[in-house]
Amino acid sequence: MSMKLYGASGSCALVALWAVEQAGADYELVSLNLGAGDQRHPAFLALNPHGRVPALETDGAVITELNAILVYLAARFPGAGILPMNDVLLLGRTMELLCWFSSTVHVHVAQCFRGERFTDDADVKDKLKQSGKVRLAAALAELNETIGQRGAYLNGDGFSAVDIFSIVVWRWVQRLEIDCSAFGRWTGKVQHDMARPDVVRALEREANAAPPSWVAAARAS
Ligand SMILES: N[C@@H](CCC(=O)N[C@@H](CS)C(=O)NCC(=O)O)C(=O)O
């Protein structure tokens, strides 16, 4: 049965998009415009009441939370290289890094882009953004140190979902204009990874994705 992946350009949903591509899954990509508030449309909230992407419709259910989607896809397509399913220690270490990206790095980014999640006070929002950038830079210094420690890729010798998440973080960091000159190992790795054919394909898919039917219907009327 076909899957439907809800994503948005520039978002962490790129990791799930890369994963469905690697799986060779039969899927449809639906791209929300987060700036226009598509994620708060009742039709999307009916799928994911948290109003966030990614969300994956599959087998008559909806899975949300990027790491949950990755575990589902990796278990369903074990040969696709989404996660290192044949090495439980490496799998644990990879999930450790993915969870750190989600629970720490992504939260610092949300402080900068999504202050409304934390406060309604404009002054506090501004302070959150400043402290988010400082904490993000500290996390990047940590990430930079890990490059090369486990092998050529973040979880060892094989490229996996966690390397794509690192690309997503790099895109956010560019938008925030954080000085990356001290993180040469990490930025070099990201440049290298972005030239991979599987990454280029996922980026092209992301750029050419169609909007949800409810947006298309509103535009047509
Ligand atoms: N913990 C969630 C976070 C998802 C998330 O925050 N996604 C962002 C895009 S990167 C989003 O949907 N933002 C919309 C909003 O905040 O309104 C996950 O890992 O899936």
Side-chain angles (χ1 to χ4, degrees):
M1 192 203 283
S2 177
M3 300 178 185
K4 201 181 268 193
L5 176 65
Y6 294 85
S9 181
S11 77
C12 63
L14 178 71
V15 187
L17 172 56
W18 171 84
V20 286
E21 280 283 330
Q22 289 307 103
D26 177 18
Y27 77 99
E28 180 191 342
L29 177 63
V30 177
S31 183
L32 305 194
N33 181 337
L34 299 181
D38 289 353
Q39 70 276 31
R40 291 185 291 276
H41 190 284
F44 185 66
L45 291 176
L47 295 168
N48 181 6
H50 298 140
R52 305 271 180 93
V53 293
L56 183 71
E57 253 186 306
T58 179
D59 283 332
V62 180
I63 305 175
T64 66
E65 292 296 322
L66 173 60
N67 292 339
I69 292 171
L70 292 175
V71 168
Y72 168 81
L73 290 170
R76 183 155 166 194
F77 304 96
I82 296 166
L83 293 172
M85 301 302 275
N86 294 329
D87 182 332
V88 282
L89 181 60
L90 204 50
L91 180 61
R93 307 262 2 234
T94 305
M95 291 313 299
E96 176 186 38
L97 209 41
L98 277 170
C99 291
W100 180 70
F101 274 133
S102 296
S103 67
T104 302
V105 178
H106 199 167
V107 173
H108 295 326
V109 172
Q111 274 182 249
C112 302
F113 289 136
R114 298 278 172 199
E116 69 278 7
R117 283 189 197 170
F118 305 92
T119 180
D120 294 325
D121 185 317
D123 291 340
V124 177
K125 263 187 213 170
D126 200 45
K127 288 193 177 113
L128 271 172
K129 181 167 184 177
Q130 296 318 317
S131 69
K133 284 174 90 163
V134 172
R135 280 161 178 74
L136 187 53
L140 295 178
E142 211 181 305
L143 181 59
N144 192 58
E145 284 304 305
T146 68
I147 306 298
Q149 278 181 8
R150 297 182 184 183
Y153 297 104
L154 282 174
N155 75 1
D157 291 330
F159 189 86
S160 75
V162 74
D163 297 285
I164 296 281
F165 210 147
S166 153
I167 291 174
V168 169
V169 172
W170 184 82
R171 296 198 300 187
W172 288 331
V173 166
Q174 300 312 298
R175 278 169 60 196
L176 287 166
E177 297 181 337
I178 291 175
D179 177 12
C180 287
S181 51
F183 316 131
R185 287 215 293 260
W186 176 58
T187 51
K189 174 197 154 35
V190 169
Q191 302 296 343
H192 173 269
D193 290 351
M194 282 182 79
R196 289 172 55 96
D198 52 335
V199 176
V200 169
R201 193 172 61 238
L203 289 168
E204 279 171 5
R205 288 286 287 125
E206 182 195 55
N208 295 309
S213 55
W214 65 84
V215 169
R219 272 190 203 145
S221 64

